[in-house]
Structure formats: structure tokens, C-alpha cells
Amino acid sequence: MKNLPIMIANWKMHKTAPEARHFIGELIKLMPKVQGEVWIAPPFTAVAECAKACQETQIAVGAQNLSEWVQGAYTGEVSGQMLKDSGAEFVLIGHSERRKIFRETEATVKEKIHRALENQLTPVLCVGETHSQRESGQTQAVLEAQIRGALTGFEASALKSLIIAYEPVWAIGTGVTASPQMAQETHNSARLIVSSMFGAGFAQDLPFLYGGSVKPDNVAELMAQGDINGALIGGASLEASSFAEIIKQGSQS
Ligand code: PGA
């Protein structure tokens, strides 16, 4: 696990399909041969285009969200089946922007994990505390509520593909990164929550990614921590040169 960092680009609401195709062309030219995994989460409208452009490459394509429903009269929603059909292999679930701006609850997050698994999409569950929650000593309680809220009721055997991304909200898009020590400590305690739910072996094998202002010059130190198995990268993944550099630096640890 430690030798296989997973680097996920979260483009958020950036890039049209032609821009995404151009990025992938650039990335393939720049990308070092890495041991780890390189994944891209474009907006819905570029998923199919990206999946096509990434065929025969080591890059996997996914989505940033999916509907909590299977199908029906849900105007504006995109289902897991639709994403799978578009070539997506994974999906981010419960990103803090979804929780905050779109008011996603633990119940919604859990439904989305069900929809992802039903469609053989790898769920990347995002968790993390706000600045005031950290300041008031609530980090562990918040992570506990988010992880238990999302995963209670699942059998460990159903969650074999699960990935968790720890993203302190105060570090997202702010330029402030958690120190490698703080990130390691929090990853470790979050892994213990998973261990208490599904057993130590399951928790040990679970890929735990860090997200929040990851950049070429801080990724190596973060990836060198024992409990950090990859990164979820927003702003610094929008330029192919910067994402390629993150992949390079992050895969050396
Ligand atoms: P950032 O975003 O790298 O721009 O901080 C990370 C994320 O929101 O996944």
C-alpha cells in the first residue's frame, strides 16, 4: 500500500471537455513513469471525453459526485449507472463543498456510497473538520461522526474498494496545509475508527488520502508519512505541469 500512492486530481467546476482533452495530452507527455496510481475527477460533462482520452494509459477517470437515487424524476441529477456508462471508475463522495454548499448529510453520503458500490464505482469518501472544530478539540468526534455516519451498516466485504480522503476544511483552497505530523496523527486516529468498525486488517489495507493545499513542494513530505497513501489535489491539479510534478514528487516517497 505504502508503495502505491494514489494521486487524484479534483478539478471541481473547471474545464470544458476540449480543455480536459488538452490537459490529458499534456499530462501524458509530462508524466513520469510512476509506481502509483493517477486518477482524474473532471466535471460530469468531461467524464466521457476524459475516459476516452485515458484509454490505454495508466490514468483512471472518475466523477466528483453522483446522485443518491437510482433513477427517476430527479431533475439535474446524474446516476451511478450513467457515470459508469460514461467510463468513470471512481467517484468522490461527501466532499466538504458538497456537505457545506449543497447541505449533504451523513444519510445522503451513505446512500451515495450504496449507489457507487452498486455500479462498481470506487467510492472515495471525503471527511474532515473545520477550523473552529479543530480549535475546539472536536476533530476526532467529527471524524468519528462522518466515518460512522457513512459506513455503519455496511459489511467489510462490501467495502473492499473503499478509499477515504481526509481533507481538513481549513486547508482546502487556502494555501494552508496541515503539517505532515498533524496529517499523520489525524490519519492514524481516523484509521483507528475504521479499525474499530471493520477490524485492524481492513483498516490497515484501506487507502487513506490527504487533501488540502497539496502542492509540488509539500507533497513528498506528506506522502512520506506512514498512514498517508495518496493525495486529493484541487487547485494544483489544474495545470498539467503542476499535477505532473506532484505525481513525480509524491511517488518518490
Ligand atoms: P485544494 O483542494 O488542493 O485546492 O486545497 C483539495 C480538494 O478540495 O479536494
Side-chain angles (χ1 to χ4, degrees):
M1 175 69 54
K2 198 55 212 153
N3 299 326
L4 282 177
I6 303 170
M7 298 295 173
I8 308 184
N10 173 14
W11 286 349
K12 308 192 180 184
M13 201 168 73
H14 295 283
K15 295 192 195 297
T16 60
E19 285 167 351
R21 196 174 49 232
H22 177 75
F23 175 103
I24 288 165
E26 292 290 293
L27 183 66
I28 290 168
K29 275 190 254 155
L30 292 166
M31 202 165 70
K33 283 268 163 279
V34 286
Q35 293 294 324
E37 309 253 349
V38 178
W39 298 7
I40 296 178
F44 287 142
T45 48
V47 168
E49 188 75 28
C50 285
K52 215 173 347 146
C54 290
Q55 266 171 12
E56 327 257 318
T57 75
Q58 68 177 113
I59 307 167
V61 174
Q64 301 167 19
N65 181 32
L66 84 171
S67 177
E68 70 193 274
W69 294 290
V70 175
Q71 66 170 16
Y74 301 108
T75 301
E77 288 290 274
V78 175
S79 72
Q81 188 188 12
M82 291 166 185
L83 289 176
K84 187 71 183 176
D85 176 61
S86 300
E89 295 181 56
F90 70 94
V91 60
L92 308 184
I93 296 178
H95 188 281
S96 64
E97 287 152 16
R98 305 273 343 152
R99 292 178 192 260
K100 179 162 182 252
I101 306 168
F102 302 98
R103 306 218 154 71
E104 285 190 8
T105 63
E106 306 306 346
T108 319
V109 167
K110 181 185 283 197
E111 283 306 303
K112 290 185 177 197
I113 294 176
H114 278 291
R115 300 295 88 77
L117 294 171
E118 285 159 11
N119 289 286
Q120 292 79 49
L121 293 164
T122 295
V124 181
L125 169 66
C126 303
V127 298
E129 82 288 0
T130 63
H131 187 253
S132 64
Q133 287 166 334
R134 178 162 282 271
E135 288 294 290
S136 57
Q138 293 176 67
T139 300
Q140 187 65 12
V142 169
L143 296 180
E144 182 111 30
Q146 290 176 339
I147 293 173
R148 287 193 186 279
L151 303 180
T152 299
F154 284 98
E155 295 290 333
S157 59
L159 294 174
K160 281 201 187 100
S161 65
L162 177 74
I163 293 176
I164 297 184
Y166 167 61
E167 298 201 296
V169 178
W170 46 270
I172 295 179
T174 58
V176 180
T177 320
S179 70
Q181 294 70 25
M182 185 198 277
Q184 162 59 25
E185 236 169 69
T186 314
H187 277 238
N188 186 262
S189 51
R191 208 184 278 281
L192 288 177
I193 300 169
V194 176
S195 175
S196 74
M197 296 178 74
F198 300 110
F202 179 93
Q204 187 64 34
D205 290 346
L206 179 73
F208 238 106
L209 317 185
Y210 170 80
S213 297
V214 173
K215 298 190 188 65
D217 62 3
N218 62 21
V219 67
E221 227 193 321
L222 286 160
M223 293 309 115
Q225 308 303 313
D227 278 297
I228 303 184
N229 311 115
L232 184 51
I233 306 122
S237 74
L238 290 172
E239 294 288 336
S241 56
S242 154
F243 188 44
E245 193 57 27
I246 287 176
I247 294 165
K248 186 168 148 212
Q249 299 297 335
S251 305
Q252 283 170 355
S253 315

